[in-house]
């Protein structure tokens, strides 16, 4: 989930309820991203936060690689970053 603030909590919680592990990127809202990851963890899933400026292609690549390395694969991308 790009952008852990605002709707990230609800989407992370919903995806975790459906059985998904959740990775969230944030640029400045670390606390909001961590709250969203914690919502996934409360549902028994893994929650990962990654600081990334998604305007930077290298940062995007690094975030995807880190999430894939942690979870083994990626199946869904939710683009909320503004």
């Amino acid at each position: 989930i790009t952008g852990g603030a605002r709707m990230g909590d609800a989407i992370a919680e919903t995806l975790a309820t459906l059985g998904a592990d959740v990775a969230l990127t944030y640029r400045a809202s670390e606390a909001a991203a961590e709250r969203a990851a914690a919502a996934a963890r409360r549902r028994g899933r893994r929650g990962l936060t990654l600081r990334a400026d998604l305007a930077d292609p290298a940062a995007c690549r690094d975030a995807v690689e880190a999430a894939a390395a942690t979870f083994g694969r990626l199946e869904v991308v939710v683009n909320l970053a503004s």
Side-chain angles (χ1 to χ4, degrees), residues 58-76:
C60 294
R61 182 181 56 251
D62 292 346
V64 168
E65 288 174 359
T70 298
F71 298 140
R73 66 180 186 202
L74 300 181
E75 295 183 6
V76 176

